[in-house]
Amino acid sequence: MIDHLWPEIWDTALYIYNNPELGGEEYQAAAYLRKIMEKHGFEVISPYLDIETSFKARIGATKPVIFFLAEYDALPEIGHGCGHHLIAGASAGAAISLAALKEYWSGSLVVLGTPAEETTGAKVALVDKGAFSDCDAALMFHPGQSTVINISSQALEALEVIFSGFHGHSSRGERGNSLVSLVSFYQEALNYKKAFYPEQQIDGVITSGGITPNLIPQKAVGKFYLRAITTELLKKTVQDFRKMIERIAEQNSTQVIIKRFEPRYLPMQTNAALAQVFQEQAKTLGVKMDMQQQYIIGSMDMGNVSWLVPAIHPYLPLGKGKFSAHSQEFKKMAGSPEGEKTMKLATKALALTALELLLKPELVEKIWQEKAGSGFTL
Ligand SMILES: [Zn+2]
């Protein structure tokens, strides 16, 4: 069935690839996906839960309810350098292929459009707004460098730091200079990263540091991503971060405000039983998945989904897996026949995994038996 529908499935991915849209602005991608889902008998709500470029496409009214998650945002300047068009194509493709076989299974399929993975991570809002309340399993894939499935990602806190102080002529000296405070902190953050990488990380940019050399800016602003491999460690990173900033502000007679500017990401917790189903299905397609647990240096909004429902986020290699994501080379590969090959494999493995769950209720029970994460507070 997938082979039969393939031209339409690949066209969907290519359309998104050729019309890259930034997170939160994926109007064309969402509209195109809506059209294809409706054509194949899905009922579509769009926008979904007040998230403008999100949508929910559903077929069936009974349990179990299997979710395929579709990302479709691009990067500034690079376009689809993370290959999210392949994610959208594989998720939509798996769902419409199974819909064509509806008489052979019972349950429901949902394709959930999850915008802005690279920035504000709509999955976080979708989790908070109850989008997963009837979800039995959440499936997606990501193109990458290797064939891994049992992954865990880093927790992420996004904090903006606003130092303020004396506003006037630069000849006055350095006390009360907001930019000096920010630069001192930036230097300390680099040392912190050096000492604790990769378990804990602080990365930042200066977003506002003045206009002209002879005027001390009233404000100096930086944005920082704090990451850690567990929520407990992230809590410590945030505490260390605050302490460093408050000490520097005080030493330098400046004031400081710290505020979150993007949602917090939880670390990905792969559901091992669900991963095993995917692994077995991938094997029937000739792909050996590495089941070893792997820490991904980086964060994903799928982490928040994984704390709520059984979820997987396997990686399948793009081409020979030589290029790292967010690069021009990766983008080129993701739009080539190699990208098509990877997506076709992912579409089949996702469809077969969902079909297993739809046909075997005991598998759904098994994946839910795995203990989900405990609550998370900072
Ligand atoms: Zn990505």
Side-chain angles (χ1 to χ4, degrees), residues 224-266:
F224 294 86
Y225 281 158
L226 284 62
R227 298 178 206 260
I229 57 170
T230 64
T231 51
E232 290 75 26
L233 208 50
L234 182 62
K235 195 172 172 178
K236 184 183 176 302
T237 316
V238 172
Q239 280 167 356
D240 292 347
F241 179 88
R242 284 185 179 279
K243 265 190 232 156
M244 280 190 270
I245 287 173
E246 279 155 16
R247 174 174 42 73
I248 288 167
E250 202 189 316
Q251 280 169 357
N252 205 32
S253 304
T254 46
Q255 291 79 49
V256 69
I257 296 169
I258 301 169
K259 54 183 186 190
R260 181 184 294 148
F261 68 93
E262 281 172 7
R264 182 192 297 144
Y265 285 7
L266 299 181

Side-chain angles (χ1 to χ4, degrees), residues 48-51 54 112 114-115 120-132 263-265 301 304-305 308:
Y48 184 51
L49 296 175
D50 292 330
I51 300 169
S54 176
L112 187 63
T114 65
T120 51
K123 291 189 199 71
V124 180
L126 288 164
V127 164
D128 292 346
K129 291 178 181 208
F132 294 88
R264 182 192 297 144
Y265 285 7
D301 60 358
N304 296 50
V305 176
L308 202 63

Side-chain angles (χ1 to χ4, degrees), residues 59-79:
I59 197 164
T62 55
K63 295 283 264 176
V65 188
I66 311 303
F67 276 48
F68 295 104
L69 305 192
E71 297 173 4
Y72 32 76
D73 57 327
L75 296 159
E77 294 172 10
I78 293 184

Side-chain angles (χ1 to χ4, degrees), residues 13-328:
L14 268 189
Y15 176 83
I16 298 170
Y17 181 77
N18 290 323
N19 296 280
E21 298 165 293
L22 294 180
E25 298 170 12
E26 312 98 320
Y27 294 99
Q28 295 181 74
Y32 195 98
L33 287 160
R34 173 184 190 135
K35 216 170 59 193
I36 190 164
M37 298 317 295
E38 278 176 345
K39 185 182 158 199
H40 289 273
F42 285 74
E43 224 169 88
V44 184
I45 308 169
S46 162
Y48 184 51
L49 296 175
D50 292 330
I51 300 169
E52 274 199 53
T53 55
S54 176
F55 69 90
K56 179 182 184 178
R58 178 171 181 145
I59 197 164
T62 55
K63 295 283 264 176
V65 188
I66 311 303
F67 276 48
F68 295 104
L69 305 192
E71 297 173 4
Y72 32 76
D73 57 327
L75 296 159
E77 294 172 10
I78 293 184
H80 277 289
C82 204
H84 290 186
H85 61 295
L86 302 178
I87 300 175
S91 283
I96 63 171
S97 305
L98 288 173
L101 304 169
K102 178 107 185 58
E103 64 203 91
Y104 299 103
W105 50 265
S106 62
S108 307
L109 294 174
V110 167
V111 176
L112 187 63
T114 65
E117 199 280 331
E118 302 285 1
T119 50
T120 51
K123 291 189 199 71
V124 180
L126 288 164
V127 164
D128 292 346
K129 291 178 181 208
F132 294 88
S133 57
D134 66 343
C135 171
D136 288 297
L139 314 177
M140 64 175 284
F141 103 104
H142 200 298
Q145 291 179 285
S146 51
T147 314
V148 291
I149 186 163
N150 193 3
I151 59 154
S152 157
S153 63
Q154 294 176 311
L156 169 91
E157 184 75 272
L159 297 175
E160 185 175 44
V161 179
I162 306 158
F163 282 104
S164 58
F166 174 77
H167 188 214
H169 200 281
S170 315
S171 59
R172 176 184 182 267
E174 305 315 334
R175 278 192 80 71
N177 184 324
S178 56
L179 183 60
V180 170
S181 289
L182 183 59
V183 172
S184 308
F185 170 68
Y186 192 89
Q187 193 56 49
E188 280 205 26
L190 287 180
N191 292 337
Y192 188 92
K193 183 174 172 178
K194 240 184 248 168
F196 297 109
Y197 184 87
E199 281 80 13
Q200 291 166 269
Q201 271 173 261
I202 299 176
D203 296 303
V205 289
I206 291 177
T207 52
S208 171
I211 301 163
T212 178
N214 62 3
L215 180 66
I216 294 176
Q218 201 235 324
K219 283 183 182 169
V221 185
K223 283 184 172 175
F224 294 86
Y225 281 158
L226 284 62
R227 298 178 206 260
I229 57 170
T230 64
T231 51
E232 290 75 26
L233 208 50
L234 182 62
K235 195 172 172 178
K236 184 183 176 302
T237 316
V238 172
Q239 280 167 356
D240 292 347
F241 179 88
R242 284 185 179 279
K243 265 190 232 156
M244 280 190 270
I245 287 173
E246 279 155 16
R247 174 174 42 73
I248 288 167
E250 202 189 316
Q251 280 169 357
N252 205 32
S253 304
T254 46
Q255 291 79 49
V256 69
I257 296 169
I258 301 169
K259 54 183 186 190
R260 181 184 294 148
F261 68 93
E262 281 172 7
R264 182 192 297 144
Y265 285 7
L266 299 181
M268 177 74 198
Q269 300 193 96
T270 296
N271 183 285
L274 184 54
Q276 200 189 333
V277 180
F278 187 90
Q279 182 220 18
E280 284 160 7
Q281 297 311 312
K283 203 170 158 194
T284 67
L285 300 166
V287 179
K288 203 171 165 286
M289 300 296 297
D290 184 352
M291 289 299 279
Q292 193 83 358
Q293 196 184 19
Q294 297 223 9
Y295 282 107
I296 303 292
I297 307 290
S299 311
M300 54 182 73
D301 60 358
M302 189 61 165
N304 296 50
V305 176
S306 75
W307 282 54
L308 202 63
V309 297
I312 51 167
H313 185 287
Y315 284 90
L316 292 171
L318 190 55
K320 292 199 166 57
K322 272 201 306 214
F323 304 114
S324 64
H326 294 205
S327 67
Q328 287 290 353

